[in-house]
Amino acid sequence: MNTSILAALQLYQYGLTPVPLIEKRPLIKDWSNRFFEQPLKQQDIINGIVDPTGKTIRYDNRNIGILTGKISNIIVLDIDDTSLLNTLEKMGPLPDTWKVQTNRGYHLYFNYDKEVPSMKLWDKIDILSNKKQVVAPPSKHPNGRHYKWILSPKDVEKADLPEWLVDYLIDYSNQNNLNWTSAKKSKVQSIYKSKTGNKSKDIEELLNSVDWVGFYSQVTSNIRGNGDWLSCKCPFHLDNHNSFSFNKHNGSWTCFAGCGSGSAILAIQKLFGLSFRQSLFLIKGEDIYV
Ligand SMILES: [Zn+2]
């Protein structure tokens, strides 16, 4: 039997959804959706997958990829540089889990966690969750090197993502979703409840009209409490505790770990590098670049 088919069958046994690749790219049309509608069957691996045009796509002599995310119950950290793995290990303990040697680095496999979207960390580590795929052993990299298991499903159980890393990723993605591109801007603006066009409204009234819980839940995480002041992770420093507190009526804030305190306007200035005037425009829901 063909080694590619064998490898794919074995991956399938581990609960994964393997797909045939050409180099590093899936050969199946609409691969990120189709297996939700038509889950992969063992006989598809042996006989090939029939695509919508009626063409059969076979696994023989192909590189094999694995769909990541919910469909295979995996999230893969694609680390392109071994020094980045050291950086992660310094931030917190990484459990033993499925590990693949890639061309220049590693793939670490963890159980799927719905909190974690596909994203790029520090522009260098790909977090592969839903609608992504990863090249699997024993596929061959275009430069000739084979992907190989360092810790395979026979060696260790697949681990959960460590909690510290999930916390870090959530903070990181919240903050980075808010870099100031126009597409993201409209998303953030939509969480404000302020009435636009009422320019005579004074600042205090304006601040009291904003949904600050909605705002802070976009820029930080772990909001707790039920009084006027709620606690959460500080959006200004890497916070493992809830060092930050904000007033849910007017958005004023304080960080007990030393980032300071101030009005909601100051928080917006600090978060996005805006002037006082631009921050006010933003709160009013107006274009900040006028
Ligand atoms: Zn802080």
Side-chain angles (χ1 to χ4, degrees), residues 10-63:
Q10 198 163 36
L11 295 169
Y12 186 79
Q13 290 297 109
Y14 300 137
L16 304 168
T17 295
V19 292
L21 306 180
I22 181 154
E23 292 198 341
K24 298 170 81 172
R25 189 169 51 79
L27 278 159
I28 310 294
K29 283 205 174 65
D30 196 27
W31 57 271
S32 65
N33 294 316
R34 103 155 242 164
F35 296 102
F36 279 105
E37 289 148 20
Q38 296 167 264
L40 185 71
K41 295 191 287 290
Q42 199 175 44
Q43 74 193 58
D44 296 332
I45 297 173
I46 297 164
N47 300 331
I49 295 171
V50 180
D51 86 0
T53 65
K55 195 172 150 203
T56 300
I57 314 287
R58 298 186 57 85
Y59 285 70
D60 317 41
N61 304 313
R62 292 288 184 191
N63 273 352

